[in-house]
Amino acid sequence: QVQLVESGGGLVQPGGSLRLSCAASGSTSSISRLGWYRQAPGKERELVSSISTSGTTEYADSVKGRFTISRDNAKNTVYLQMNSLKPEDTAVYYCYCMRFGAQYWGKGTLVTVSS
């Protein structure tokens, strides 16, 4: 089993920045992909970004150029640097990882972008 704990969410004004962190614990060996989904009120959960063990990244079109994902394999931690935040980025952000074909989820952290 893998446990994921997110941190870094909060309230930020439009145009501001936040950095989310997600620390993995438990059976962390052989974790392959790490990433972030988000779910806004009344909407389906959507993939924001993910990163492979080798550092290959992917981003949703809506966040390209504004968000940057990174990982520290030694610390089993993934980060999401979010810049130029918009009100439509408001959502609960969930960390996830893949390990031997199984997907694990964190409990989520709320990001609110509002003036």
Side-chain angles (χ1 to χ4, degrees):
Q1 293 290 322
V2 179
Q3 294 79 45
L4 300 170
V5 179
E6 303 100 333
S7 61
L11 173 64
V12 63
Q13 292 186 342
S17 298
L18 280 177
R19 188 193 194 206
L20 304 183
S21 300
C22 173
S25 61
S27 300
T28 58
S29 62
S30 301
I31 286 178
S32 53
R33 189 160 288 270
L34 283 159
W36 297 89
Y37 276 74
R38 67 185 180 186
Q39 186 166 20
K43 295 187 176 181
E44 294 186 355
R45 192 175 293 191
E46 63 173 354
L47 176 67
V48 177
S49 182
S50 70
I51 184 168
S52 70
T53 305
S54 61
T56 303
T57 59
E58 61 175 343
Y59 295 93
D61 288 342
S62 59
V63 307
K64 283 180 181 177
R66 300 187 299 122
F67 290 11
T68 303
I69 192 169
S70 61
R71 67 188 283 175
D72 184 332
N73 291 327
K75 295 182 179 180
N76 295 309
T77 300
V78 62
Y79 306 95
L80 186 68
Q81 177 66 43
M82 306 186 294
N83 299 327
S84 303
L85 283 161
K86 305 175 180 180
E88 51 263 44
D89 294 318
T90 295
V92 177
Y93 284 70
Y94 297 92
C95 174
Y96 84 98
C97 75
M98 298 295 299
R99 181 177 184 268
F100 295 128
Q103 194 168 34
Y104 298 88
W105 294 93
K107 292 184 178 180
T109 184
L110 176 63
V111 172
T112 303
V113 184
S114 174
S115 55

PDB file of all heavy atoms in Angstrom, residues 7 34 41-43 45 52 56 65 68 72 76-77 85 87 91-92 102 106:
ATOM      1  N   SER A   7      -0.105  18.769   0.489  1.00  0.00           N
ATOM      2  CA  SER A   7      -0.044  20.002   1.264  1.00  0.00           C
ATOM      3  C   SER A   7       0.178  21.170   0.315  1.00  0.00           C
ATOM      4  O   SER A   7       0.567  20.974  -0.842  1.00  0.00           O
ATOM      5  CB  SER A   7       1.075  19.952   2.308  1.00  0.00           C
ATOM      6  OG  SER A   7       2.331  19.786   1.684  1.00  0.00           O
ATOM      7  N   LEU A  34       3.744   9.655 -11.081  1.00  0.00           N
ATOM      8  CA  LEU A  34       3.160  10.500 -10.038  1.00  0.00           C
ATOM      9  C   LEU A  34       2.478  11.677 -10.721  1.00  0.00           C
ATOM     10  O   LEU A  34       2.931  12.123 -11.773  1.00  0.00           O
ATOM     11  CB  LEU A  34       4.234  11.043  -9.094  1.00  0.00           C
ATOM     12  CG  LEU A  34       4.806  10.108  -8.038  1.00  0.00           C
ATOM     13  CD1 LEU A  34       6.152  10.598  -7.564  1.00  0.00           C
ATOM     14  CD2 LEU A  34       3.838  10.013  -6.867  1.00  0.00           C
ATOM     15  N   PRO A  41     -16.056  22.167  -8.332  1.00  0.00           N
ATOM     16  CA  PRO A  41     -17.453  21.918  -7.951  1.00  0.00           C
ATOM     17  C   PRO A  41     -18.330  21.670  -9.164  1.00  0.00           C
ATOM     18  O   PRO A  41     -18.318  22.443 -10.122  1.00  0.00           O
ATOM     19  CB  PRO A  41     -17.850  23.207  -7.234  1.00  0.00           C
ATOM     20  CG  PRO A  41     -16.576  23.753  -6.701  1.00  0.00           C
ATOM     21  CD  PRO A  41     -15.545  23.404  -7.735  1.00  0.00           C
ATOM     22  N   GLY A  42     -19.073  20.575  -9.137  1.00  0.00           N
ATOM     23  CA  GLY A  42     -19.985  20.255 -10.217  1.00  0.00           C
ATOM     24  C   GLY A  42     -19.346  19.716 -11.471  1.00  0.00           C
ATOM     25  O   GLY A  42     -20.023  19.529 -12.484  1.00  0.00           O
ATOM     26  N   LYS A  43     -18.040  19.460 -11.427  1.00  0.00           N
ATOM     27  CA  LYS A  43     -17.348  18.973 -12.612  1.00  0.00           C
ATOM     28  C   LYS A  43     -16.676  17.642 -12.329  1.00  0.00           C
ATOM     29  O   LYS A  43     -16.490  17.254 -11.175  1.00  0.00           O
ATOM     30  CB  LYS A  43     -16.307  19.992 -13.077  1.00  0.00           C
ATOM     31  CG  LYS A  43     -16.898  21.300 -13.559  1.00  0.00           C
ATOM     32  CD  LYS A  43     -15.826  22.183 -14.172  1.00  0.00           C
ATOM     33  CE  LYS A  43     -16.428  23.460 -14.741  1.00  0.00           C
ATOM     34  NZ  LYS A  43     -15.385  24.324 -15.372  1.00  0.00           N
ATOM     35  N   ARG A  45     -13.575  14.901 -12.302  1.00  0.00           N
ATOM     36  CA  ARG A  45     -12.145  14.973 -12.011  1.00  0.00           C
ATOM     37  C   ARG A  45     -11.364  14.947 -13.318  1.00  0.00           C
ATOM     38  O   ARG A  45     -11.666  14.160 -14.208  1.00  0.00           O
ATOM     39  CB  ARG A  45     -11.740  13.800 -11.107  1.00  0.00           C
ATOM     40  CG  ARG A  45     -10.369  13.912 -10.509  1.00  0.00           C
ATOM     41  CD  ARG A  45     -10.091  12.777  -9.528  1.00  0.00           C
ATOM     42  NE  ARG A  45     -10.935  12.870  -8.347  1.00  0.00           N
ATOM     43  CZ  ARG A  45     -10.746  12.133  -7.242  1.00  0.00           C
ATOM     44  NH1 ARG A  45      -9.739  11.270  -7.192  1.00  0.00           N
ATOM     45  NH2 ARG A  45     -11.560  12.251  -6.221  1.00  0.00           N
ATOM     46  N   SER A  52       6.793  10.898 -15.059  1.00  0.00           N
ATOM     47  CA  SER A  52       7.287   9.524 -14.940  1.00  0.00           C
ATOM     48  C   SER A  52       8.559   9.492 -14.094  1.00  0.00           C
ATOM     49  O   SER A  52       9.107  10.531 -13.715  1.00  0.00           O
ATOM     50  CB  SER A  52       7.585   8.970 -16.337  1.00  0.00           C
ATOM     51  OG  SER A  52       8.722   9.618 -16.889  1.00  0.00           O
ATOM     52  N   THR A  56       9.640  12.346 -17.644  1.00  0.00           N
ATOM     53  CA  THR A  56       8.743  12.724 -18.737  1.00  0.00           C
ATOM     54  C   THR A  56       7.451  13.289 -18.169  1.00  0.00           C
ATOM     55  O   THR A  56       6.836  12.687 -17.296  1.00  0.00           O
ATOM     56  CB  THR A  56       8.428  11.512 -19.623  1.00  0.00           C
ATOM     57  OG1 THR A  56       9.647  10.964 -20.125  1.00  0.00           O
ATOM     58  CG2 THR A  56       7.529  11.908 -20.776  1.00  0.00           C
ATOM     59  N   GLY A  65       2.252  25.979 -19.642  1.00  0.00           N
ATOM     60  CA  GLY A  65       2.883  27.288 -19.563  1.00  0.00           C
ATOM     61  C   GLY A  65       2.692  27.988 -18.235  1.00  0.00           C
ATOM     62  O   GLY A  65       3.329  29.009 -17.970  1.00  0.00           O
ATOM     63  N   THR A  68       4.063  23.754 -13.412  1.00  0.00           N
ATOM     64  CA  THR A  68       5.247  22.920 -13.611  1.00  0.00           C
ATOM     65  C   THR A  68       5.263  21.808 -12.577  1.00  0.00           C
ATOM     66  O   THR A  68       5.161  22.071 -11.369  1.00  0.00           O
ATOM     67  CB  THR A  68       6.531  23.739 -13.485  1.00  0.00           C
ATOM     68  OG1 THR A  68       6.511  24.819 -14.432  1.00  0.00           O
ATOM     69  CG2 THR A  68       7.758  22.868 -13.754  1.00  0.00           C
ATOM     70  N   ASP A  72      10.966  14.494  -6.614  1.00  0.00           N
ATOM     71  CA  ASP A  72      12.208  14.165  -5.927  1.00  0.00           C
ATOM     72  C   ASP A  72      12.113  12.690  -5.577  1.00  0.00           C
ATOM     73  O   ASP A  72      11.435  12.328  -4.607  1.00  0.00           O
ATOM     74  CB  ASP A  72      12.370  15.049  -4.683  1.00  0.00           C
ATOM     75  CG  ASP A  72      13.695  14.835  -3.972  1.00  0.00           C
ATOM     76  OD1 ASP A  72      14.243  13.722  -4.055  1.00  0.00           O
ATOM     77  OD2 ASP A  72      14.165  15.778  -3.326  1.00  0.00           O
ATOM     78  N   ASN A  76      10.537  10.686  -2.446  1.00  0.00           N
ATOM     79  CA  ASN A  76       9.212  10.179  -2.834  1.00  0.00           C
ATOM     80  C   ASN A  76       8.166  11.280  -2.790  1.00  0.00           C
ATOM     81  O   ASN A  76       7.057  11.098  -2.256  1.00  0.00           O
ATOM     82  CB  ASN A  76       8.792   9.014  -1.934  1.00  0.00           C
ATOM     83  CG  ASN A  76       9.692   7.810  -2.088  1.00  0.00           C
ATOM     84  OD1 ASN A  76       9.944   7.361  -3.205  1.00  0.00           O
ATOM     85  ND2 ASN A  76      10.200   7.298  -0.990  1.00  0.00           N
ATOM     86  N   THR A  77       8.527  12.407  -3.340  1.00  0.00           N
ATOM     87  CA  THR A  77       7.661  13.582  -3.296  1.00  0.00           C
ATOM     88  C   THR A  77       7.495  14.163  -4.697  1.00  0.00           C
ATOM     89  O   THR A  77       8.452  14.195  -5.472  1.00  0.00           O
ATOM     90  CB  THR A  77       8.247  14.651  -2.360  1.00  0.00           C
ATOM     91  OG1 THR A  77       8.357  14.097  -1.041  1.00  0.00           O
ATOM     92  CG2 THR A  77       7.357  15.879  -2.304  1.00  0.00           C
ATOM     93  N   LEU A  85      -2.305  31.948 -11.575  1.00  0.00           N
ATOM     94  CA  LEU A  85      -3.542  31.232 -11.257  1.00  0.00           C
ATOM     95  C   LEU A  85      -4.770  32.029 -11.663  1.00  0.00           C
ATOM     96  O   LEU A  85      -4.793  33.273 -11.580  1.00  0.00           O
ATOM     97  CB  LEU A  85      -3.580  30.895  -9.776  1.00  0.00           C
ATOM     98  CG  LEU A  85      -2.690  29.698  -9.387  1.00  0.00           C
ATOM     99  CD1 LEU A  85      -2.403  29.700  -7.899  1.00  0.00           C
ATOM    100  CD2 LEU A  85      -3.353  28.405  -9.818  1.00  0.00           C
ATOM    101  N   PRO A  87      -9.283  32.062 -11.624  1.00  0.00           N
ATOM    102  CA  PRO A  87     -10.425  31.565 -10.846  1.00  0.00           C
ATOM    103  C   PRO A  87     -10.865  30.167 -11.286  1.00  0.00           C
ATOM    104  O   PRO A  87     -11.292  29.362 -10.443  1.00  0.00           O
ATOM    105  CB  PRO A  87     -11.509  32.604 -11.125  1.00  0.00           C
ATOM    106  CG  PRO A  87     -10.740  33.866 -11.357  1.00  0.00           C
ATOM    107  CD  PRO A  87      -9.515  33.437 -12.104  1.00  0.00           C
ATOM    108  N   ALA A  91     -10.293  24.358  -7.307  1.00  0.00           N
ATOM    109  CA  ALA A  91     -10.655  22.939  -7.282  1.00  0.00           C
ATOM    110  C   ALA A  91      -9.981  22.266  -6.098  1.00  0.00           C
ATOM    111  O   ALA A  91      -9.099  22.850  -5.455  1.00  0.00           O
ATOM    112  CB  ALA A  91     -10.213  22.247  -8.573  1.00  0.00           C
ATOM    113  N   VAL A  92     -10.406  21.047  -5.843  1.00  0.00           N
ATOM    114  CA  VAL A  92      -9.655  20.179  -4.944  1.00  0.00           C
ATOM    115  C   VAL A  92      -8.629  19.439  -5.807  1.00  0.00           C
ATOM    116  O   VAL A  92      -8.992  18.839  -6.823  1.00  0.00           O
ATOM    117  CB  VAL A  92     -10.554  19.176  -4.225  1.00  0.00           C
ATOM    118  CG1 VAL A  92      -9.718  18.244  -3.343  1.00  0.00           C
ATOM    119  CG2 VAL A  92     -11.586  19.917  -3.361  1.00  0.00           C
ATOM    120  N   ALA A 102      -1.480  -0.493 -10.088  1.00  0.00           N
ATOM    121  CA  ALA A 102      -2.503  -0.002  -9.155  1.00  0.00           C
ATOM    122  C   ALA A 102      -2.353   1.507  -8.988  1.00  0.00           C
ATOM    123  O   ALA A 102      -1.250   2.040  -9.016  1.00  0.00           O
ATOM    124  CB  ALA A 102      -2.362  -0.687  -7.802  1.00  0.00           C
ATOM    125  N   GLY A 106      -4.333  10.524  -2.870  1.00  0.00           N
ATOM    126  CA  GLY A 106      -4.350  11.285  -1.644  1.00  0.00           C
ATOM    127  C   GLY A 106      -5.760  11.767  -1.356  1.00  0.00           C
ATOM    128  O   GLY A 106      -6.672  11.552  -2.157  1.00  0.00           O
TER     129      GLY A 106
END
